């Protein structure tokens, strides 16, 4: 109710006013004419693309995480000699998972590009988009075929086929959109050279399917070359543009002023990215990953009534005790993924605008988040195994560390261009700057700490791990308090320092150098500095 | 870019203006004071709850559909004598799926109620909500235990335990929210008797955990009674209020004017429901269901390299041919679920405000959508089996019919109160009324047609089914054209009729009786009628 409903009422009234206009018009025309004319101008049948994009994001996020399931269900062999082949198999599956995640993310990025140009949809575009989605969801399977049968060309042919059809559908969407300009982005609508935009966009879109056509032809003659070709097609634009951008940033050169076209279909790291869609995609991935273990538990961890009678003498509790580790792993991973989501959510509340580079770091973070439930499962399973337990705990810590550090990287990337991308509260010197840093740094620090602790005290590794799992949610609850206390201590220290002139000079220096590299302690200290100075 | 980005820029500027204010204030205070004062008044650390709710919706939609997986993976026994026990097992699993779906939907509805009262969140509430979600995602498992071991009380104890903790967390959220009124719904914020609201809401929330406490105590003494108690607790408020509402509607009595409190925590069918959340929840379910089969395909339908060498002489295509039905089922079910989503999307584009009754029909529709992929899988698997094929096709048709008919029911429920719930375009006499009806009626009609066709021509059932799968997307593409043609024909017929005075009288009658029952042909005819008359 309240805010939401008020706006709904307003919208409703506006709609009614619009309707009055159209009904007045339809009084003068006949009914039949009004139906056909609406088809001709088409305006009234267009729709906001918001929900279509949300649904696409949900589909793509499921597909991105789906290849973690084969990794999860890889069974550990009992015999020592099977272990090697198991490790090879596991490594292949993990590689497939990561590559699928990357490729689906690239497909998602191109989907965002497309619908930054086409901003309104009609029924025809909605149906075309569904067809496109159907093919995207099939990509992980073709990719599995490629990885399992690298010496056959069927996988690459299927993959290229899908990508070509997706490219063609996207081209049809663009042509359809430009033939009905009211569907387009406003900037393109008012622009003089719509035709230039159209050709530029079509050229970028068609590049991929044409290269895929070559790759599929090559796959018949010389298979290895077509793999290389594919990798170039998909990743080169990103890598090339990123290198160019990094070079420009490193040399301190201003980026050259490009024409209008650059706003669409460039591969700049600073190209704008719809913040809404990053959030929707991330929510989807976090939600799937958080529930990944319950999917298995509901299916597999219900004992058979006959087994309970025969093996456990009718005691259901005794029968369920064997599944204890699974439940523990589920609650542990749900809490961790939930808290990582919470950090992500806090960060993006203060992000006003996202860039491609931030999206890239976000994807990396999500890819690691996807591995967390499995690492937790292994850790809980091996908890009484003195040989494997420390390794499993350490693997969990590494994954957790990378998931957290890439979240921190999103923020660092945002800070580079903070005027455009961040809310003033969390910019350098903003009131919540230190608090946000603490939130983002908590998981990487905890993971690092646990890692080194388990290296030192390997026999207590499981206890340390469980202690961490319990401690982190408490830390999040008390975080604002802890940060306030830390800042108060720092401030007391500073006021003591400020009485000497050297301290004041140091403070001024600290407040001035806010654009360069970024060290954690450095920053925690800098916040009160800048605030005191300004 | 364009619209979206403009609004982002505006938001950004507003934020900056706000920030200037706060930074001016912080010039007068010291930094430390501003941190602690912000904690005291808390305003600046509150956040819009939009994304938290979207994430919760994603989690709940996954959980609602998760119990379909055990149904999917029930293996058909080879022997005839195993078939009976298989059918019992399948029926149990389907019952568990439907009951889980219902219970999760009830939990979701209570989550919506709660966050219609608490409209803004802070970190503490976000963390509490995550804890609540963790327990909700565990409900399906406790429910499986109850269904598999009805004579043990462990399942019901676990279930009651979860529900009690969820209720306590919700109560804490309400108490916390009322202690910080800026978090509340605006209507409550400006209301005089906040305390009345607080007690009313707490009373409604605490009713469930208290009854669960009784149920868990009874479960030790007399198990059957506690099942009855649970069913009463969960469903009675809905059923009682619905019956009351139906009675009032049927007798044509106006609903009595209730006090303000009725806006929150009533169980009226006309109680407002956040349209946004219905969309988010539905998107989640549609997305999971659409990809349900690809999850299995990616994991199970990759042949083993050794098997390919030994059994198929190195021919990968031959090895994959065995999986043909699975792929066919995947594309068929993706297309069907996608098109049902498309219909849902078209409908909710024209819904301005949702009610509980619409939400209920939506849940029913979604529950049937969840069964579609499995029905399609069975249909494709049995396509060469003359005994089982017609049955499988008919089961698919029945599920498809109910999924579609409940979507139509949403619209009918909306039409009862069309001034508040529907966009003028699709109301009685609106320009797109007939088109929307055609969209919603397409799937139920096709399913019904296919069902009766396969009854009559049972040996061609699979061909008819595949024809239907191919024909429906084409029908959706051409639907506007088809409806226009049908209307044009009708209109030509009408103008011929109108020349006689009897025809005009009939038309006036048709336009006047727009509130009663609803027959398809009736309505398709009525639209041009009302338009011609008014």
């Amino acid at each position: 109710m309240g805010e939401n409903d008020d706006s709904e009422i307003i919208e409703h009234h506006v709609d009614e006013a619009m309707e009055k206009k159209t009904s007045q018009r339809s009084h003068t025309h006949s009914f039949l004419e009004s139906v056909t004319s609406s088809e001709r101008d088409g305006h009234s049948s267009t729709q906001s693309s918001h929900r279509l994009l949300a649904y696409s994001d949900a589909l793509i996020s499921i597909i991105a995480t789906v290849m973690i399931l084969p990794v999860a269900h890889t069974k550990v062999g009992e015999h020592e000699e099977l272990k090697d082949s198991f490790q090879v198999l596991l490594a292949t599956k993990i590689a497939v998972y990561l590559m699928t995640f990357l490729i689906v993310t690239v497909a998602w990025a191109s989907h965002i590009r497309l619908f930054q140009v086409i901003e309104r949809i009609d029924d025809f575009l909605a149906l075309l988009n569904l067809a496109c989605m159907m093919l995207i969801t099939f990509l992980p399977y073709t990719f599995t075929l490629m990885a399992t049968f690298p010496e056959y060309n069927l996988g690459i042919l299927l993959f290229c086929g899908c990508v070509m059809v997706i490219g063609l559908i996207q081209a049809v969407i663009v042509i359809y959109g430009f033939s009905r300009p009211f569907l387009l982005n406003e900037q393109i609508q008012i622009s003089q050279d719509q035709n230039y935009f159209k050709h530029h966009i079509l050229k970028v879109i068609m590049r991929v399917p044409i290269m895929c056509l070559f790759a599929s032809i090559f796959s018949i003659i010389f298979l290895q070359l077509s793999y290389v070709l594919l990798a170039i097609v998909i990743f080169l634009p990103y890598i090339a543009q990123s290198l160019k951008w990094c070079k420009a940033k490193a040399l301190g050169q201003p980026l050259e002023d490009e024409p209008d076209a650059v706003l669409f279909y460039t591969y700049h790291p600073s190209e704008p990215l719809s913040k809404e869609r990053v959030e929707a995609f991330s929510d989807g991935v976090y939600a799937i990953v958080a529930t990944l273990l319950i999917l298995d538990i509901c299916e597999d961890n219900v004992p058979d009534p006959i087994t309970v009678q025969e093996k456990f003498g009718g005691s259901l509790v005794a029968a369920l005790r064997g599944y204890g580790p699974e439940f523990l792993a589920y609650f542990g991973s749900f809490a961790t993924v939930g808290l990582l989501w919470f950090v992500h959510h806090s960060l993006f509340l203060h992000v006003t605008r996202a860039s491609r580079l931030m999206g890239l770091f976000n994807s990396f973070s999500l890819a690691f988040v996807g591995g967390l439930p499995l690492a937790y499962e292994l850790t809980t399973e091996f908890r009484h195994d003195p040989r494997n337990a420390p390794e499993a705990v350490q693997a969990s810590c590494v994954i957790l560390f990378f998931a957290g550090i890439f979240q921190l990287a999103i923020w660092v990337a945002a800070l580079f261009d903070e005027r455009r991308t961040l809310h003033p509260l969390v910019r350098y010197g903003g009131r919540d700057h230190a608090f946000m840093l603490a939130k983002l740094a908590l998981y990487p620090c905890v993971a690092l700490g646990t890692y080194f602790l388990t290296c030192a005290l390997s026999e207590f590794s499981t206890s340390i791990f469980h202690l961490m799992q319990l401690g982190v949610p408490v830390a999040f609850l008390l975080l604002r308090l802890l940060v306030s206390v830390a800042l108060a201590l720092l401030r007391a220290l500073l006021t003591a320092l400020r009485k000497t002139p050297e301290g004041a000079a140091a403070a001024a220096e600290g407040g001035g150098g806010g654009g360069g590299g970024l060290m954690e302690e450095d920053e925690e200290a800098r916040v009160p500095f800048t605030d005191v100075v300004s």
Side-chain angles (χ1 to χ4, degrees), chain A:
Chain A
M1 309 290 305
E3 271 189 333
N4 265 334
D5 274 34
D6 282 355
S7 67
E8 268 178 17
I9 291 168
I10 291 163
E11 206 181 316
H12 195 128
H13 284 184
V14 171
D15 291 342
E16 271 183 329
M18 265 173 54
E19 172 57 13
K20 264 175 208 156
K21 260 191 227 162
T22 52
S23 69
Q24 274 166 2
R25 207 183 50 185
S26 74
H27 272 286
T28 56
H29 302 319
S30 84
F31 175 67
L32 191 71
E33 270 176 0
S34 81
V35 166
T36 46
S37 77
S38 84
E39 257 191 291
R40 246 182 289 119
D41 66 17
H43 275 271
S44 60
S45 62
T46 65
Q47 308 142 4
S48 148
S49 64
H50 171 75
R51 199 179 154 199
L52 181 86
L53 301 182
Y55 183 60
S56 307
D57 288 340
L59 283 175
I60 297 176
S61 60
I62 294 172
I63 289 308
T65 41
V66 76
M67 293 313 296
I68 199 73
L69 287 178
V71 182
H73 296 161
T74 313
K75 287 280 164 286
V76 188
E78 289 293 310
H79 299 286
E80 207 54 35
E81 61 258 46
L82 281 175
K83 222 165 188 183
D84 280 344
S85 78
F86 163 74
Q87 276 176 353
V88 171
L89 187 65
L90 194 67
T92 316
K93 284 185 174 179
I94 290 174
V96 171
Y97 162 68
L98 287 177
M99 288 304 292
T100 312
F101 202 98
L102 218 60
I103 280 191
V104 171
T105 313
V106 169
W108 175 67
S110 86
H111 191 264
I112 293 182
R113 274 198 193 94
L114 183 63
F115 284 93
Q116 276 177 341
V117 172
I118 315 278
E119 286 203 332
R120 294 185 67 75
I121 56 162
D122 58 12
D123 285 0
F124 181 66
L125 287 184
L127 291 172
L128 274 187
N129 182 59
L130 282 179
C132 193
M133 280 300 129
M134 191 198 275
L135 290 165
I136 289 179
T137 55
F138 198 63
L139 286 183
Y141 183 73
T142 64
F143 212 73
T144 316
L145 277 187
M146 272 200 262
T148 325
F149 300 97
E151 68 279 14
Y152 288 83
N153 62 10
L154 185 68
I156 205 161
L157 280 178
L158 275 177
F159 181 81
C160 289
C162 282
V163 172
M164 278 189 280
V165 179
I166 292 170
L168 287 179
I169 292 177
Q170 289 197 339
V172 171
I173 290 176
V174 169
I175 292 169
Y176 183 85
F178 274 90
S179 74
R180 284 161 181 73
F182 48 86
L183 297 172
L184 296 176
N185 178 300
E186 265 183 19
Q187 249 178 304
I188 298 185
Q189 262 188 59
I190 56 169
S191 145
Q192 292 297 313
D193 33 38
Q194 276 191 19
N195 254 325
Y196 168 74
F197 277 117
K198 184 177 163 184
H199 290 297
H200 170 71
I201 292 168
L202 277 179
K203 215 171 64 191
V204 176
I205 287 181
M206 290 310 291
R207 203 190 290 155
V208 176
I210 287 171
M211 292 297 269
C212 276
L213 185 67
F214 282 116
S216 55
I217 293 169
F218 268 116
S219 75
I220 298 165
I221 309 163
F222 188 48
L223 198 59
Q224 275 66 36
L225 192 69
S226 65
Y227 284 117
V228 176
L229 207 61
L230 267 191
I232 290 176
V233 171
I234 292 167
F235 298 110
L236 198 67
Y238 295 91
I239 297 165
Q241 283 290 350
S242 308
L243 284 180
K244 212 199 266 179
W245 185 79
C246 287
K247 199 177 137 199
K249 278 273 167 186
L251 297 177
Q253 290 168 347
L255 288 165
E256 62 269 47
D257 263 315
E258 274 111 351
D260 266 3
V262 159
L263 286 168
F264 307 100
Y265 280 92
T266 62
Y267 293 83
H268 278 258
S270 57
E271 190 184 348
L273 187 69
S274 159
K275 184 196 159 206
E276 221 173 36
R277 295 202 62 184
V278 176
E279 288 182 354
F281 179 68
S282 310
D283 281 353
V285 173
Y286 280 113
I288 299 276
V289 171
T291 48
L292 212 56
L293 293 184
I294 202 78
L295 298 186
D296 287 340
I297 286 178
C298 279
E299 195 173 347
D300 303 331
N301 294 8
V302 182
D304 193 46
I306 302 160
T307 322
V308 172
Q309 280 303 337
E310 288 170 1
K311 264 178 97 177
F312 297 97
S315 165
L316 185 56
V317 178
L320 287 181
R321 201 166 285 147
Y323 299 129
E326 271 92 344
F327 296 126
L328 207 61
Y330 168 65
F331 287 116
S333 80
F334 190 99
T336 309
V337 173
L339 289 173
L340 281 169
W341 174 85
F342 171 71
V343 172
H344 190 272
H345 164 249
S346 302
L347 175 61
F348 272 78
L349 269 179
H350 295 97
V351 167
T352 49
R353 177 182 286 240
S355 71
R356 293 277 156 184
L357 188 63
M358 288 159 72
L360 187 73
F361 286 135
N362 188 42
S363 303
F364 286 154
S365 168
L366 292 177
F368 282 101
V369 167
L372 266 180
L374 311 175
Y376 273 45
E377 209 179 346
L378 282 183
T379 305
T380 326
E381 205 164 292
F382 287 140
R383 74 209 146 127
H384 299 309
D385 179 346
R387 216 181 24 176
N388 289 320
E391 272 178 37
V393 170
Q394 282 161 17
S396 296
C397 289
V398 169
I399 296 179
L400 189 56
F401 175 75
F402 278 109
I405 208 78
F406 278 118
Q407 285 190 333
L408 190 63
I410 302 173
W411 196 49
V412 174
L415 279 175
F416 268 113
D417 196 7
E418 57 175 13
R419 293 242 141 242
R420 290 208 317 145
T421 54
L422 283 182
H423 191 281
L425 276 180
V426 294
R427 293 189 196 155
Y428 280 114
R431 210 193 46 219
D432 282 348
H433 184 83
F435 182 52
M436 182 58 72
L437 179 70
K439 258 187 191 170
L440 286 163
L442 184 59
Y443 258 120
C445 291
V446 166
L448 216 62
T450 314
Y451 183 87
F452 286 120
L453 258 180
T454 49
C455 285
L457 307 161
S458 60
E459 59 261 54
F460 302 111
S461 55
T462 325
S463 326
I464 295 171
F465 187 71
H466 288 310
L467 216 66
M468 177 198 94
Q469 280 182 301
L470 286 175
V472 170
V474 178
F476 269 108
L477 271 176
L478 303 177
L479 196 60
R480 195 172 271 275
L481 197 72
L482 293 178
V483 173
S484 305
V485 170
L487 284 182
L489 286 177
L490 260 173
R491 193 172 145 63
L493 205 76
L494 277 177
T495 39
L497 273 176
R498 258 180 108 190
K499 285 170 190 160
T500 64
E502 291 88 1
E509 205 183 330
L518 192 106
M519 295 296 288
E520 271 169 40
E521 266 91 306
D522 225 36
E523 257 203 309
E524 292 231 37
R526 192 177 292 147
V527 182
F529 270 57
T530 44
D531 205 88
V532 167
V533 171
S534 64

